[in-house]
Amino acid sequence: MISDDGVEKKAGSEGAGPVDATFLAIESIIGSGAELQLFSVNNITSGTDSQGEVTVRLAKGGRIVNGQGADTDIVVASAKAYINALNKLMSKRQRVNPQM
């Protein structure tokens, strides 16, 4: 579920895999029109219950932003990273360095 201007919304989608389906479902709610330029996964802890950190880079209208998310479930970490990047992309504050 995503809260969009205080209204909780949910969507389902099919994609080339669970992460793609998650991104498509988020886009169906938000409708940002952003282009995914980078998707990167790294482990931040070790072991079978390790946390994964996902970084995504989105671009729209000449703006490029990075978003990060971490979770033991890589799909959840991916959704967190995508939403983090969307929040940055949609913020009114201009960012000089896309690595921020």
Side-chain angles (χ1 to χ4, degrees):
M1 236 184 243
I2 294 176
S3 179
D4 184 20
D5 288 329
V7 177
E8 288 190 2
K9 298 179 180 181
K10 64 179 167 176
S13 185
E14 292 183 15
V19 172
D20 185 44
T22 300
F23 289 174
L24 291 171
I26 293 169
E27 269 303 314
S28 74
I29 293 171
I30 304 300
S32 74
E35 176 187 344
L36 179 66
Q37 293 190 327
L38 171 80
F39 175 79
S40 175
V41 179
N42 294 298
N43 65 314
I44 54 177
T45 59
S46 60
T48 57
D49 63 343
S50 66
Q51 281 220 343
E53 180 183 55
V54 173
T55 300
V56 298
R57 181 173 296 144
L58 298 179
K60 182 178 179 185
R63 286 191 72 200
I64 299 172
V65 296
N66 288 339
Q68 288 81 29
D71 199 275
T72 55
D73 182 327
I74 204 64
V75 178
V76 172
S78 298
K80 288 178 178 180
Y82 197 85
I83 290 169
N84 180 250
L86 283 175
N87 284 334
K88 290 177 182 179
L89 191 63
M90 294 178 166
S91 74
K92 299 216 183 279
R93 186 172 68 189
Q94 294 293 323
R95 297 185 184 272
V96 176
N97 184 346
Q99 302 304 315
M100 298 179 88

